[in-house]
Amino acid sequence: MDSVPDPEAADTARAPLSVGDPITGKTRLLARQCDTCIFRPGNRMHLDPGRLKQMVDEALAEGGFVICHDTLPYGNFPEAQPAVCRGFADRYRTWRLQVIARLFGFVEVEPPQPSPPERPGWEA
């Protein structure tokens, strides 16, 4: 007999995010740091004390990378495709980033930006 899935458990489990671009076969990397990059001075994302160090330590321990918060599906720009954080990539050379660079390369993408406000009577 099959068990019935628990809908609450499904909400908490997230599938891994892919920074891979299926068209180019390359990994998406932000072309520049986003305006609120966690690596910019001044804690623009209002992270709790020690949170940035924790994220970096986890990424380094896994040999991985940080995905830009502006490209996360639950962030301010849900239509954006996940991409490697430029602030992280410029500071750290993990083994995964080195392998990606050597075997596949990166496709640089612009950080997501808010749409300009609509102006009544103006047409693009």
Side-chain angles (χ1 to χ4, degrees):
M1 180 170 154
D2 292 334
S3 63
V4 177
D6 180 1
E8 289 182 21
D11 288 344
T12 59
R14 290 194 181 131
L17 295 175
S18 174
V19 292
D21 185 291
I23 295 170
T24 64
K26 297 177 183 283
T27 297
R28 286 184 295 271
L29 169 66
L30 287 189
R32 58 185 171 77
Q33 286 181 251
C34 68
D35 292 339
T36 55
C37 183
I38 58 176
F39 291 96
R40 288 188 186 273
N43 194 12
R44 296 177 185 199
M45 285 299 298
H46 310 287
L47 297 176
D48 289 337
R51 179 64 178 128
L52 176 60
K53 181 180 181 333
Q54 177 189 11
M55 291 186 334
V56 169
D57 288 349
E58 288 173 6
L60 294 176
E62 296 170 1
F65 47 82
V66 171
I67 297 176
C68 173
H69 64 278
D70 272 349
T71 67
L72 296 172
Y74 44 84
N76 291 333
F77 305 97
E79 72 286 349
Q81 296 296 313
V84 175
C85 170
R86 188 60 186 229
F88 182 88
D90 285 349
R91 288 164 178 78
Y92 303 99
R93 284 282 165 229
T94 64
W95 69 265
R96 283 194 174 104
L97 290 176
Q98 290 177 41
V99 168
I100 291 167
R102 289 185 181 145
L103 294 181
F104 309 106
F106 295 96
V107 59
E108 291 190 358
V109 296
E110 287 297 316
Q113 297 291 317
S115 300
E118 298 268 336
R119 293 185 185 169
W122 291 79
E123 296 193 26

